[in-house]
Amino acid sequence: MNAKETLAYWIVEREHIREAKEAGLPKPWSDDWVFQQTYFCNVRREDDRVTRWIRGNWSPDKIGWDDYEYAMVVARFLNWPDTLSRLTYPDNRGIVIAPEKIESVLEDIAASGMKVWGNAYVVTTHGLPMGKAQYLCRNVLPAAYELLGAARWRGAYPTGGCTLARRYEDYMQLEGMGSFMSAQVLADLKNTPGHPLYEAIDWENWSAPGPGSLRGLQWYFGRKINISEYATAINTVAEELPEEAYDVIRSKGKYDSFNTQDLQNCLCEYDKYMRVKNGTGRSKRGYPGK
């Protein structure tokens, strides 16, 4: 297979693995040694375990709409259901607690020897001499709450809605967010029925580049892809995907639509697959797939 064919293969094979695992079939779920020993995210972000937990436990009907955008920021920085389950007021409709209270909860969890953070996203203090929990609760979440909490987020969506591209620029102004985390939160919002971004006119074709997806595009095209080329490059990939791979991404999208953010995620994982397959790198997380 050439590099382009391998991307389509990765998409279809990863979906087959998810289906086999969820059906309770015995291992191995793939004959491919890379899949047997390497952790990969799902093709569709909505199928990931943490996203499913968020949909079931931090949906607007559970925590309300007023602090919903703030809650999604909290959810993606921590990205660990056991921790998130301790961050709502049980006697107050499950509203996510304020930043100053979250720090004490995180400290209690850490002191008990329990896991605090999920493994999928890297959270750093950007060189500041403090712990991750302090940085998150003192430098990131207060500003996020001021912009997004207490229904203040609604002001960003005038009549007629707002594009993901425009809202992305708002999020990029927040300390600690960055391109990757901003795009993760926007993915949660755009897939929430009733939120203005669920109706965004760029719902299908907006995504933000990251190092992994740019490397994936480099494998695909056989040359370095600069950020300025990203939009054209990923749209070309979407147009060239074989039908079976295109349909895997589309099959659970809004209105049965193709989702470029999921394709961007696939390109990140495809880069990982190619590096492991070719012996030029390794995954940080192994997978007991045998």
Side-chain angles (χ1 to χ4, degrees):
M1 291 186 292
N2 61 35
K4 295 182 180 182
E5 292 168 337
T6 304
L7 173 61
Y9 161 76
W10 184 91
I11 292 170
V12 173
E13 185 72 0
R14 181 63 184 90
E15 178 63 3
H16 286 166
I17 292 169
R18 184 191 69 81
E19 292 173 339
K21 180 180 179 181
E22 294 187 0
L25 298 179
K27 299 177 184 178
W29 298 308
S30 174
D31 294 329
D32 188 324
W33 67 270
V34 180
F35 278 109
Q36 288 181 359
Q37 62 184 248
T38 309
Y39 176 87
F40 292 105
C41 294
N42 285 294
V43 172
R44 296 180 298 269
R45 185 176 177 278
E46 289 295 303
D47 288 327
D48 288 344
R49 185 174 71 90
V50 176
T51 302
R52 287 179 169 179
W53 187 94
I54 291 170
R55 295 295 176 213
N57 296 274
W58 278 19
S59 58
D61 64 315
K62 297 287 182 63
I63 63 172
W65 278 109
D66 284 359
D67 292 338
Y68 188 68
E69 290 205 13
Y70 161 71
M72 293 303 99
V73 173
V74 174
R76 286 309 171 183
F77 267 99
L78 293 165
N79 213 52
W80 189 241
D82 290 350
T83 298
L84 298 178
S85 66
R86 297 180 58 175
L87 298 182
T88 57
Y89 294 113
D91 58 345
N92 191 24
R93 293 184 59 241
I95 295 173
V96 178
I97 62 178
E100 62 271 16
K101 296 184 180 295
I102 291 179
E103 184 175 351
S104 63
V105 175
L106 300 186
E107 289 174 348
D108 288 345
I109 295 172
S112 69
M114 302 291 286
K115 183 176 179 177
V116 177
W117 313 81
N119 296 325
Y121 309 147
V122 177
V123 178
T124 74
T125 65
H126 298 280
L128 295 177
M130 58 175 62
K132 288 198 300 183
Q134 288 181 326
Y135 177 74
L136 175 65
C137 297
R138 300 179 189 183
N139 292 53
V140 178
L141 294 185
Y145 188 79
E146 284 301 309
L147 180 68
L148 309 171
R152 284 183 282 265
W153 60 270
R154 294 182 185 275
Y157 303 102
T159 302
C162 179
T163 64
L164 289 156
R166 177 63 185 85
R167 192 57 170 154
Y168 171 78
E169 296 301 326
D170 295 337
Y171 271 81
M172 286 289 286
Q173 303 306 310
L174 291 169
E175 180 175 348
M177 290 298 294
S179 178
F180 178 83
M181 197 65 75
S182 295
Q184 294 303 315
V185 174
L186 291 179
D188 287 319
L189 300 178
K190 71 182 260 187
N191 285 306
T192 302
H195 189 277
L197 290 178
Y198 189 75
E199 305 296 339
I201 60 174
D202 54 355
W203 189 98
E204 294 182 21
N205 55 30
W206 180 85
S207 63
S213 56
L214 289 171
R215 289 194 300 267
L217 289 170
Q218 182 171 331
W219 283 109
Y220 188 90
F221 290 103
R223 65 176 181 86
K224 183 176 181 179
I225 301 296
N226 297 316
I227 290 179
S228 61
E229 302 174 276
Y230 170 78
T232 299
I234 197 168
N235 287 330
T236 298
V237 174
E239 292 170 359
E240 294 180 352
L241 272 182
E243 185 176 357
E244 64 271 21
Y246 190 92
D247 285 347
V248 169
I249 298 177
R250 183 181 63 188
S251 62
K252 288 188 178 179
K254 174 190 171 187
Y255 307 139
D256 196 32
S257 298
F258 187 83
N259 185 339
T260 306
Q261 276 196 284
D262 280 337
L263 177 59
Q264 187 265 348
N265 173 70
C266 289
L267 285 164
C268 292
E269 302 302 289
Y270 164 66
D271 164 60
K272 188 193 307 180
Y273 178 87
M274 294 296 284
R275 287 187 287 118
V276 174
K277 182 89 170 175
N278 289 279
T280 59
R282 62 182 182 87
S283 172
K284 294 179 181 178
R285 298 176 64 182
Y287 189 70
K290 289 187 178 180

